[in-house]
Amino acid sequence: MESYIQVYQNIYSKLVEFGKELTLYSFSEKEDKVELYGLVALNLCKQQTKSIFILLENKLYPSILMLIRNVFESFFNYQWILRGETKEEKIERVNQLEGKAFSDIEKELNVMKENASSSDPIWKPEIFKDKEQFLEFLKTYYPELTFEENNKIKFKSPKEHSLESRMNYMERVKFYSLYRFTSAFVHPTPILRDLLLKRDGSEKNPIQLIEPHLKEALDYCLYLIYGIAFNLSKVLEEKKEYNKEKVDKILAEIFLIISNSSASNLLADAI
């Protein structure tokens, strides 16, 4: 795993450089939502890249798979946004994705409220009152994330409710099984039990089972991180202050790092 530590450290340094370049630009929260979504996704990737090489150094492999899972989601959500046919549709897709997180919270708060008013409640209203007030504040502060239905203001959410449904056919065939593999390590499994508990006298060596799949996930993750940066660079090309030459140079350096790593085997195996 030593080579992966170095690769992820190098990618992280390039993402820092990429981020510094983009701080020179100005963005409108209303008109540049697609750009801002990509910027947030890339900054999350930067943090996750740093976390991955630190976790690799400390052999905390299950936690790495959890982070890779987040990179998968960031990449394919951004892909889904960019498939919108018009700028307005792309912006609306951003609003739906951003609203979804709060829509899910509100849905569960409504379940708690129903329980609180029942004859045998588990929850008292004061338990969720602060959260409810916070969501109402968000509806006022971010009205673009809401819509009105039956005289109630609700948070938006994509009709394609799951990541799977937001993927196109080729994306699902190529990547969804690996995404599900990373998801298997979010919850306890027999492999995690044997890996984490390290019982005396056990002849099992679960890391030998995990390692090939972890390496595959780490390789794909590198390309997805590059993909987010590349997609964002294409979106930013319309901005007047965009320094295409400098951004393209950083992207080329990121791709060169990946090409000189074991991840290059993925390209050789591609159909």
Side-chain angles (χ1 to χ4, degrees):
M1 291 294 178
E2 290 300 319
S3 62
Y4 284 99
I5 295 173
Q6 188 62 57
V7 168
Y8 272 82
Q9 285 177 329
N10 292 341
I11 293 293
Y12 172 73
S13 67
K14 290 301 172 184
L15 291 178
V16 171
E17 191 176 337
F18 195 100
K20 287 180 178 178
E21 173 63 25
L22 299 188
T23 58
L24 303 176
Y25 309 161
S26 58
F27 297 95
S28 162
E29 288 196 21
K30 182 177 180 181
E31 296 298 323
D32 297 327
K33 292 215 68 171
V34 177
E35 292 88 339
L36 288 169
Y37 189 96
L39 279 169
V40 173
L42 191 64
N43 272 279
L44 284 173
C45 281
K46 181 179 69 176
Q47 292 184 9
Q48 288 155 350
T49 301
K50 183 177 182 179
S51 298
I52 285 171
F53 74 71
I54 291 173
L55 291 169
L56 282 169
E57 289 173 333
N58 290 278
K59 296 181 172 58
L60 299 174
Y61 301 132
S63 298
I64 294 168
L65 287 166
M66 295 179 196
L67 291 176
I68 292 174
R69 181 178 185 267
N70 292 338
V71 174
F72 267 72
E73 290 186 2
S74 294
F75 176 80
F76 289 108
N77 278 335
Y78 203 35
Q79 287 281 90
W80 178 73
I81 289 169
L82 296 178
R83 280 198 291 270
E85 295 183 1
T86 64
K87 179 180 178 179
E88 290 72 24
E89 184 179 353
K90 291 182 177 72
I91 290 175
E92 179 55 23
R93 288 188 174 196
V94 173
N95 290 335
Q96 290 172 4
L97 281 177
E98 291 181 343
K100 182 181 183 303
F102 304 121
S103 174
D104 291 342
I105 295 171
E106 187 170 47
K107 178 181 177 181
E108 298 311 312
L109 283 181
N110 288 335
V111 173
M112 294 172 72
K113 287 172 64 177
E114 289 178 9
N115 173 265
S117 61
S118 68
S119 58
D120 186 22
I122 298 173
W123 300 109
K124 295 181 179 179
E126 53 265 29
I127 293 295
F128 52 82
K129 186 176 180 181
D130 288 346
K131 294 185 180 68
E132 192 174 27
Q133 290 176 343
F134 175 65
L135 289 181
E136 291 304 314
F137 166 77
L138 291 178
K139 289 176 181 178
T140 302
Y141 201 72
Y142 301 106
E144 69 275 13
L145 306 186
T146 67
F147 70 102
E148 185 174 345
E149 183 179 73
N150 299 326
N151 295 321
K152 290 185 177 180
I153 303 298
K154 299 182 179 181
F155 286 105
K156 295 176 179 178
S157 184
K159 64 177 182 179
E160 298 89 347
H161 196 68
S162 66
L163 182 67
E164 177 186 1
S165 63
R166 291 192 289 276
M167 288 178 162
N168 63 30
Y169 175 76
M170 291 304 297
E171 289 171 345
R172 182 180 175 187
V173 170
K174 289 182 177 181
F175 299 106
Y176 195 66
S177 63
L178 184 57
Y179 170 76
R180 295 312 309 172
F181 176 82
T182 62
S183 299
F185 291 87
V186 176
H187 310 288
T189 62
I191 295 177
L192 282 181
R193 178 193 66 207
D194 293 329
L195 178 66
L196 298 177
L197 297 186
K198 298 179 180 177
R199 291 164 294 162
D200 291 338
S202 175
E203 296 180 355
K204 294 179 179 178
N205 189 354
I207 190 58
Q208 292 179 346
L209 298 175
I210 292 178
E211 189 168 338
H213 307 288
L214 174 60
K215 288 181 176 179
E216 180 187 26
L218 285 166
D219 287 341
Y220 275 110
C221 184
L222 290 170
Y223 281 110
L224 296 184
I225 291 170
Y226 171 81
I228 292 172
F230 179 83
N231 284 342
L232 177 59
S233 72
K234 293 302 178 185
V235 172
L236 290 172
E237 283 185 355
E238 296 181 2
K239 298 192 74 64
K240 293 180 180 178
E241 63 268 44
Y242 182 73
N243 190 333
K244 179 175 172 58
E245 183 178 353
K246 187 166 185 178
V247 171
D248 284 353
K249 180 177 180 293
I250 298 171
L251 285 172
E253 291 168 346
I254 292 174
F255 193 80
L256 182 62
I257 293 169
I258 298 171
S259 299
N260 289 331
S261 73
S262 62
S264 63
N265 295 329
L266 297 178
L267 294 180
D269 294 337
I271 298 175

